[in-house]
Amino acid sequence: MANWFECKVKYEKLQENGAAKKVNEPYLVDALSFTEAESRITEEQRPYISGEFTVSAIKPTKIAEIFWDESGDRWYLVKVAFITIDEKTAAEKRSISQILVQAANFKHALENFEEGMKGTMADYEIVQINETPIMDVYKMKVKE
């Protein structure tokens, strides 16, 4: 199971008009610890950023799963409630999970989520879908 950390990277980004603007962009990294998350995001961003940059924040997320779609360039966070029935009391219980979905737009995010949930035996209900500011997501690299 992946441990996803949100890492914010602060640097000067060159705008289309040629001006430099300070930005603080969030990225998601699969890592075992805060230290590894900082090391991984530094390694991943070094080729893309010219000049100085700093990792300004690292925080663990509650993302349970990610549904990938390479044709998408945005990331949507889907809050889903899994519904179970308590056998003793017959009460309905809801447990909330967060699933990150890569998609081109909101409609595709919903379609990609539903495609990813195909074959799921559990009852669920979509509580919320929001576009996130996440710029990119870096999976764990398997070394051979």
Side-chain angles (χ1 to χ4, degrees):
M1 184 169 150
N3 291 322
W4 296 103
F5 288 85
E6 182 181 304
C7 301
K8 290 199 174 183
V9 178
K10 188 183 285 190
Y11 66 99
E12 283 194 8
K13 186 176 194 175
L14 197 58
Q15 303 297 304
E16 289 178 13
N17 64 4
K21 179 182 177 185
K22 285 191 177 191
V23 294
N24 198 12
E25 296 178 335
Y27 296 87
L28 219 56
V29 174
D30 182 10
L32 297 173
S33 66
F34 285 85
T35 305
E36 183 183 355
E38 182 177 20
S39 173
R40 294 250 355 264
I41 195 63
T42 301
E43 173 188 327
E44 294 287 354
Q45 289 301 299
R46 189 170 283 128
Y48 301 109
I49 300 173
S50 61
E52 296 282 320
F53 69 93
T54 59
V55 179
S56 61
I58 299 173
K59 68 179 181 179
T61 67
K62 293 183 179 180
I63 293 172
E65 196 169 346
I66 296 180
F67 295 154
W68 304 89
D69 178 4
E70 297 302 321
S71 66
D73 61 346
R74 296 184 181 137
W75 296 94
Y76 294 84
L77 189 63
V78 179
K79 278 190 181 177
V80 60
F82 288 100
I83 303 164
T84 57
I85 305 293
D86 187 322
E87 291 178 15
K88 293 179 183 175
T89 63
E92 192 177 271
K93 287 187 175 182
R94 294 168 169 259
S95 58
I96 302 290
S97 287
Q98 295 182 358
I99 298 175
L100 194 66
V101 179
Q102 186 178 20
N105 56 44
F106 186 87
K107 182 181 176 203
H108 287 132
L110 179 59
E111 291 169 359
N112 292 348
F113 172 77
E114 289 175 341
E115 181 67 28
M117 293 301 285
K118 276 188 178 169
T120 300
M121 299 295 285
D123 291 330
Y124 66 89
E125 184 178 285
I126 297 172
V127 176
Q128 188 176 12
I129 302 177
N130 288 323
E131 184 176 352
T132 70
I134 293 171
M135 301 302 288
D136 210 348
V137 176
Y138 298 107
K139 301 178 196 178
M140 183 66 74
K141 291 181 180 175
V142 180
K143 294 180 182 174
E144 295 183 24

